[in-house]
Every structure is written in C-alpha cells, then in structure tokens.
Amino acid sequence: MKQFNMVDCNLEKSTDLKILNFNSNYISMLIVTDKSYVYAEKYYKNRELQSCLTIEIFKEQRRTEVNYDHVKYLIFSNLVEYNEFDEAEFLNTLRKNRIYFHRWYEKGGVINTSTFI
C-alpha cells in the first residue's frame, strides 16, 4: 500500500521541478505549482519511505512580494550557510520576511502541520 504524502500531491500539481540534492536515502526538491512554491524532502531507508517534509510558500501574499527567484535565493542561502538544509532557520527567515507558508512533516503515518499567516 502506498503511503499518502504531501510531496507526491504537490508533484502531481507541479508546473516545474528542480532536484536540489539526492542520494540513496534522501531527495530534496523545489516544486512550483500554480498557487505556490514548495520545498520538499523525502527520506528513505532500505528503499522504503520513512518521512517527508513539505514547506509550501504561497505565491499570493498580503504583506510582501514573493517570486520564484526570491524563494530560490532563500533556499540556496540556507543551504550554503549551513552546508545542508536547516529547517528551523529557513522557517525563521520566512517569518522575518513576513512570508506566509504551510509546513507538513510526515513520519510513520502521522502528519504534523503548522501555518504561518
């Protein structure tokens, strides 16, 4: 049985996809949909999905302007500064820039979710 996850849901709606990093146990990507920019990660163990992280950044914002280049800059700045993706710092950066987002973390069939509006 296939495990439901938000990464696959966003991949189905994607208009553009950039693979940022991958190996046998991990893949990170930037997904563009009609309504949002999505940073996504999938972790595997023995070829089985273990967990997923999805951070959806809404294209339509009330307090700030967000475009593809801005989102890409924020993600790559985080990757360069911390030599890997630091979720907590990235979310803090989004909050400081007053960027609306929704976050999903899925592991073992349990979905933890939060929104910053």
Side-chain angles (χ1 to χ4, degrees), residues 55-72:
I55 301 170
E56 181 178 19
I57 300 166
F58 307 109
K59 287 182 177 179
E60 213 170 290
Q61 303 273 327
R62 279 188 254 165
R63 299 181 195 157
T64 189
E65 186 175 318
V66 177
N67 60 42
Y68 178 76
D69 290 328
H70 187 204
V71 170
K72 196 168 66 170

Side-chain angles (χ1 to χ4, degrees), residues 40-57:
E41 296 179 343
K42 285 181 152 187
Y43 290 89
Y44 295 90
K45 184 176 181 180
N46 298 326
R47 302 183 123 191
E48 287 191 30
L49 183 62
Q50 297 298 305
S51 65
C52 298
L53 171 67
T54 307
I55 301 170
E56 181 178 19
I57 300 166

